[in-house]
Amino acid sequence: MARQPAVYIMASWRNGTLYIGVTSDLMARIVQHRDGAFAGFTKRYAVNRLVWFAMADTMEAAITREKQLKVWKRSWKIELIETDNPTWRDLAEDWGFDPLPSS
């Protein structure tokens, strides 16, 4: 996958803790989340499963979408995830990432 702006949602497990982020390199960002490279929230709560993402044409568009999603109600975020990923599987596995242990 080439570098391209994206907004994404990571989860600790199904219906678990959610994190919404933006990046210009989704593959690299997944590695950082899985390696616990970010001290703080995502590392503390093991938020390392990619459950939803959307590519954007520009970084500005990705940031705008990220800001929209961050103020959504949790139920709306869950509905968004489950529309395309009803089982909350780790989408990173589609790109060759190893499966994470079950929680």
Side-chain angles (χ1 to χ4, degrees):
M1 173 182 297
R3 290 176 58 114
Q4 182 180 355
V7 60
Y8 63 94
I9 301 177
M10 304 290 286
S12 54
W13 59 81
R14 183 180 186 131
N15 294 312
T17 303
L18 301 177
Y19 174 82
I20 298 171
V22 66
T23 183
S24 63
D25 188 343
L26 187 55
M27 296 283 276
R29 185 57 52 90
I30 293 166
V31 170
Q32 292 169 331
H33 280 289
R34 285 175 167 238
D35 290 347
F38 302 114
F41 182 82
T42 58
K43 185 174 183 177
R44 184 177 325 120
Y45 295 103
V47 181
N48 54 14
R49 289 169 164 72
L50 179 68
V51 293
W52 180 89
F53 69 95
M55 299 311 217
D57 291 331
T58 65
M59 184 55 80
E60 293 78 18
I63 291 169
T64 297
R65 182 67 169 147
E66 175 197 31
K67 288 178 181 180
Q68 290 171 342
L69 294 176
K70 284 189 173 195
V71 298
W72 278 18
K73 294 179 181 181
R74 179 177 171 81
S75 62
W76 298 351
K77 296 171 190 176
I78 290 171
E79 185 177 334
L80 176 67
I81 293 164
E82 291 183 348
T83 296
D84 294 325
N85 188 3
T87 62
W88 291 61
R89 66 184 187 83
D90 185 1
L91 303 174
E93 292 178 21
D94 294 348
W95 300 320
F97 286 86
D98 291 333
L100 293 168
S102 298
S103 50

